[in-house]
Amino acid sequence: MGFRVIKTAIAALMAVLIADWCGLPGPTSAGLLAILGVDVTRKRSIRTISARFFASVVGLLFASVLFHFLGFHYWVLAVYILIAFPVIVRAGFKEGIVTGSVVVFRVFSGGEMDVQVILIQIGLLLIGLGSAMVVNLAYMPAADPQMLQIRKRIDELFSVIFKEFAATLRNPNEVWAGKELIEADKAVLGGIEAAKRSLENQVIHPNEEWSVYFYMRKTQLDSIQHMMHLVSQIYQKMPHAEMVSELFDQLSQDVLTESYTGRTEKLLADVQEEFRRMELPDTREEFEIRSAILQLCRELALYLKIAKKDKAPSPITDRSQSTNE
């Protein structure tokens, strides 16, 4: 049973009991409105419930005029739809069209339209949608455990990718299917969606750390794809490639830590300095391979720069010290 189903049951029961206690006719209608009002996040709940309420009020106003002058005929409902729907959409209450239609069609079934009927329907709206609002704002499941799990999965996939880069640089004949890259992309996109839902549930003082982290990983994943293309251009064993493979070995460990260690960055600086002291290539083939290795180092430097700049959320107490490589 999903958590949203439980919330819906609580909101519907609350609305029916309150409407019955207030002595309003048709208290189950308040329960139906509560069911329509339950949503997945707090911010979205505020938006959609507001739209549903105002759309219903606008619909009632149009219906009261049409039913008064044209009577309660089926074709009047078609006229109501043709007139009221465009106005409701233009007013910005598109999400409330269904709720408003439920209210108007219920009034039509009663065959009576006066001030008292309108007040009763507004009362049912306030109780039904209000109950849904209370339940939505009262509690939403914590997103941090889910996002921590996603982050752990992404870090593990990145670690495997960097190990495969190192193995390929040592042995260009090494075959890697690259499935971890696809899985990492799916995990990152899942993390971004989870972070968005978390922000939607934070009405006051939203914390955007998780969004920053997953977008950082998305940017780094683009960098990794560029690195993968460069690694594929290194088709011969070379001491330069061996040196760079050690960088990826180190990075495969650093990416699993909760803080930015800077070890790979230091090693990269040492390797680049060593490259400057080495003799220039003798053949075109060697020149092309060393050029790919040099571009790979630059792409790696960009990856590390992104990691150093953007902080990643962590369950540890002092989040200000937490950045993943």
Side-chain angles (χ1 to χ4, degrees):
M1 183 184 297
F3 182 75
R4 187 176 180 180
V5 175
I6 297 174
K7 289 200 306 179
T8 303
I10 294 172
L13 177 61
M14 183 189 304
V16 171
L17 291 177
I18 294 174
D20 183 63
W21 179 77
C22 292
L24 294 176
T28 53
S29 298
L32 175 61
L33 292 168
I35 292 172
L36 293 173
V38 174
D39 222 315
V40 293
T41 67
R42 290 189 176 100
K43 286 185 179 179
R44 182 174 173 181
S45 171
I46 294 172
R47 289 195 302 267
T48 56
I49 286 178
S50 299
R52 288 183 174 110
F53 177 78
F54 289 114
S56 299
V57 171
V58 172
L60 278 172
L61 293 176
F62 275 98
S64 63
V65 174
L66 292 173
F67 294 158
H68 176 75
F69 288 102
L70 302 178
F72 291 84
H73 306 288
Y74 290 126
W75 60 269
V76 178
L77 291 175
V79 175
Y80 163 79
I81 293 173
L82 291 173
I83 297 176
F85 279 21
V87 175
I88 292 172
V89 172
R90 188 176 292 273
F93 305 137
K94 180 179 179 180
E95 292 175 305
I97 284 179
V98 174
T99 304
S101 299
V102 169
V103 173
V104 170
F105 276 54
R106 186 170 62 246
V107 171
F108 177 86
S109 299
E112 184 180 354
M113 174 61 80
D114 54 30
V115 175
Q116 184 180 2
V117 171
I118 294 176
L119 292 177
I120 289 173
Q121 297 306 318
I122 292 177
L124 291 171
L125 279 167
L126 290 172
I127 293 172
L129 297 178
S131 298
M133 176 76 78
V134 169
V135 171
N136 282 332
L137 295 179
Y139 179 74
M140 286 287 179
D144 275 6
Q146 178 193 8
M147 290 188 289
L148 282 170
Q149 185 177 5
I150 295 174
R151 187 188 75 174
K152 182 180 179 182
R153 177 60 178 162
I154 292 171
D155 293 349
E156 290 173 348
L157 289 168
F158 274 34
S159 179
V160 173
I161 291 170
F162 294 139
K163 287 178 182 177
E164 292 292 342
F165 282 179
T168 303
L169 288 168
R170 290 193 180 94
N171 180 15
N173 295 323
E174 185 81 18
V175 177
W176 175 46
K179 66 175 183 177
E180 289 81 6
L181 201 61
I182 299 173
E183 292 176 14
D185 184 61
K186 291 181 180 178
V188 168
L189 293 177
I192 290 174
E193 288 301 314
K196 286 181 180 177
R197 286 195 299 271
S198 178
L199 279 176
E200 285 284 310
N201 281 324
Q202 300 173 47
V203 181
I204 302 174
H205 304 304
N207 186 338
E208 298 184 357
E209 283 185 332
W210 279 113
S211 292
V212 171
Y213 170 75
F214 287 118
Y215 277 112
M216 176 194 75
R217 284 305 194 207
K218 177 62 177 173
T219 305
Q220 287 182 323
L221 197 58
D222 293 338
S223 182
I224 288 174
Q225 289 174 337
H226 293 152
M227 285 190 249
M228 184 179 182
H229 175 68
L230 293 168
V231 168
S232 67
Q233 297 179 31
I234 304 168
Y235 51 87
Q236 284 187 1
K237 289 185 178 182
M238 294 187 67
H240 306 74
E242 180 69 29
M243 294 168 65
V244 176
S245 71
E246 294 176 3
L247 296 177
F248 285 107
D249 279 334
Q250 181 63 59
L251 187 55
S252 70
Q253 300 174 30
D254 292 344
V255 77
L256 297 174
T257 63
E258 291 183 344
S259 60
Y260 185 84
T261 65
R263 288 191 291 260
T264 305
E265 185 180 10
K266 185 178 182 303
L267 285 175
L268 177 59
D270 294 340
V271 168
Q272 289 175 324
E273 182 61 31
E274 182 67 22
F275 283 178
R276 294 188 186 97
R277 293 196 294 264
M278 299 176 77
E279 295 181 358
L280 294 174
D282 296 326
T283 64
R284 180 181 179 84
E285 189 177 60
E286 183 183 355
F287 171 80
E288 291 175 348
I289 296 175
R290 286 177 61 173
S291 176
I293 294 173
L294 181 60
Q295 291 180 62
L296 179 60
C297 289
R298 288 175 177 170
E299 194 65 46
L300 178 56
L302 176 62
Y303 170 95
L304 295 173
K305 183 179 180 181
I306 296 168
K308 194 173 183 179
K309 174 179 173 289
D310 294 322
K311 297 177 180 178
S314 164
I316 61 178
T317 303
D318 185 5
R319 289 191 174 185
S320 64
Q321 299 300 320
S322 176
T323 44
N324 283 70
E325 288 169 87

